[in-house]
């Protein structure tokens, strides 16, 4: 099999502590564990949190409107958020220096706040 120079995986935050029956998240943690067992030369895992971009998705009937934000969470609960652009920048930084980031799992978060705060 060809040598894999560098493997990095876009996982999801808190997948290691989610209930097993939340398979969309727990499956990501299973992949993380399998990758770790492969003895790869370099492995880095990025774990982004909720994406800002998901709160404005007109194609999925979820357009952003002032004072109103539709999502799956309690609107008053403060959660970590990140932009896909910030995650892409992190990925570039990791790929630019795989030695520094080898073996690391990076939680990607830029802001903590509630859906109500986002809708203002």
């Amino acid at each position: 099999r060809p040598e894999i120079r560098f493997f990095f995986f876009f996982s999801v935050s808190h997948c290691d502590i989610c209930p097993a029956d939340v398979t969309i998240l727990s499956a990501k943690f299973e992949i993380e564990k399998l990758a770790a067992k492969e003895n790869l030369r370099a492995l880095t895992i990025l774990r982004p949190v909720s994406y800002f971009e998901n709160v404005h998705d007109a194609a999925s009937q979820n357009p952003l409107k002032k004072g109103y934000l539709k999502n799956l969470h309690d609107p008053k609960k403060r959660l970590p958020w990140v932009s896909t652009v910030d995650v892409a920048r992190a990925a570039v930084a990791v790929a630019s220096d795989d030695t520094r980031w080898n073996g690391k799992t990076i939680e990607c978060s830029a802001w903590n706040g509630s859906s109500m705060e986002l809708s203002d």
Side-chain angles (χ1 to χ4, degrees):
R1 106 180 169 186
E3 179 187 23
I4 297 172
R5 182 179 164 271
F6 183 70
F7 182 80
F8 89 82
F9 179 59
F10 287 88
S11 189
V12 64
S13 184
H14 300 104
C15 63
D16 54 332
I17 60 171
C18 76
D21 62 342
V22 182
T23 55
I24 195 166
L25 301 180
S26 61
K28 298 264 189 177
F29 188 55
E30 293 303 315
I31 293 169
E32 288 183 18
K33 292 190 297 188
L34 288 170
K37 287 181 184 177
E38 284 295 311
N39 295 320
L40 301 169
R41 194 175 128 226
L43 167 66
T44 302
I45 297 167
L46 296 179
R47 286 184 173 174
V49 293
S50 296
Y51 290 118
F52 284 117
E53 288 82 356
N54 287 343
V55 300
H56 177 64
D57 186 2
S60 298
Q61 285 83 39
N62 192 21
L64 184 60
K65 298 175 185 170
K66 184 164 179 59
Y68 177 75
L69 180 65
K70 179 172 69 173
N71 84 29
L72 300 174
H73 308 291
D74 175 345
K76 295 178 184 175
K77 183 176 173 116
R78 295 179 63 81
L79 299 169
W81 297 82
V82 71
S83 166
T84 56
V85 172
D86 290 335
V87 175
R89 287 181 181 141
V92 169
V94 166
S96 299
D97 191 357
D98 60 355
T99 304
R100 177 180 177 194
W101 300 105
N102 183 27
K104 304 254 191 297
T105 297
I106 303 165
E107 297 285 335
C108 302
S109 176
W111 178 75
N112 284 329
S114 70
S115 298
M116 291 180 73
E117 291 171 291
L118 278 175
S119 69
D120 284 339

